Amino acid sequence: MAGCGELLIGQLEFYWDMHLWPRLQGLTDDEYLWEPAPGAWSVRADASGRIVQDEFLPPPEPPPVTTIAWRMVHIGVGCFAIRVNTFFADNPDDADMFDPRHVPAELPGTAAEGLDFLQSWYERWHQAIRALDKDELWSPLGTRGSYFADDSMLGLITHINREVMHHGGELGVLRDLYRARQLS
């Protein structure tokens, strides 16, 4: 693989290896679930004990502050899991990338589980896109891409990179705020 594909895949790989993953090391359960503001979105056990992610559609304006847990699950599910499950897994033909069947059934409730979850889905995404050839990278997403059907896989990779870097930066800020709270 050469050209744009290598550049974009390498961009996320570098960000993950040199910035985001090292920045998440040492994460504790208290920090993972810390609510930096009242009404913060997080992950919580529902009545059955299953971990679910807070989310309301449409989201309120302004959207609520989120916990580190919420952001990590958002990256793991919204950036990686649903894309892996849509484009690289054996799925029903009618399941586009917005189909809720692509969301993993088990979400992480602790920092260790959250780190494992995020790394596992990142690795699946990374391995899948790294295996694509030039034609596959430039091919349209098709019906699984929903209203992005005409966009290429490279376009999707670009979007995922942007989302991971954006939300990864937010994770860094939340960790900084948590640490500053501890120091004061």
Side-chain angles (χ1 to χ4, degrees):
M1 173 182 9
C4 290
E6 181 63 33
L7 185 65
L8 288 172
I9 292 166
Q11 178 188 44
L12 183 58
E13 184 177 348
F14 180 84
Y15 176 72
W16 182 271
D17 291 342
M18 303 307 287
H19 298 283
L20 182 57
W21 192 244
R23 187 77 162 95
L24 294 174
Q25 300 313 295
L27 187 67
T28 66
D29 289 345
D30 285 342
E31 186 178 6
Y32 182 70
L33 296 169
W34 171 63
E35 296 190 15
W41 278 359
S42 191
V43 298
R44 309 171 197 286
D46 67 9
S48 71
R50 185 173 158 257
I51 300 296
V52 295
Q53 185 179 26
D54 291 337
E55 193 156 12
F56 308 98
L57 295 174
E61 274 300 320
V65 174
T66 64
T67 63
I68 289 171
W70 193 94
R71 285 278 167 219
M72 285 176 60
V73 169
H74 179 70
I75 294 169
V77 172
C79 294
F80 301 136
I82 64 170
R83 295 336 194 274
V84 168
N85 289 336
T86 301
F87 297 104
F88 303 106
D90 186 23
N91 289 302
D93 289 336
D94 67 336
D96 68 31
M97 68 180 172
F98 299 107
D99 192 305
R101 293 177 286 179
H102 294 309
V103 176
E106 300 289 324
L107 298 180
T110 68
E113 292 169 355
L115 290 166
D116 289 345
F117 180 86
L118 187 60
Q119 183 174 23
S120 173
W121 283 107
Y122 163 74
E123 287 174 358
R124 291 178 198 178
W125 170 252
H126 184 261
Q127 290 167 2
I129 62 174
R130 172 95 29 222
L132 296 173
D133 65 27
K134 180 181 176 186
D135 290 338
E136 291 168 319
L137 288 166
W138 284 101
S139 292
L141 297 174
T143 57
R144 290 187 182 201
S146 186
Y147 43 85
F148 298 105
D150 294 334
D151 291 358
S152 68
M153 180 58 72
L154 278 175
L156 179 60
I157 292 168
T158 302
H159 170 69
I160 296 302
N161 288 4
R162 182 179 55 244
E163 284 290 299
V164 172
M165 288 182 236
H166 168 80
H167 295 304
E170 292 171 328
L171 287 170
V173 169
L174 286 168
R175 290 205 79 187
D176 290 344
L177 290 170
Y178 181 84
R179 184 185 68 245
R181 180 188 65 82
Q182 298 289 4
L183 297 174
S184 52

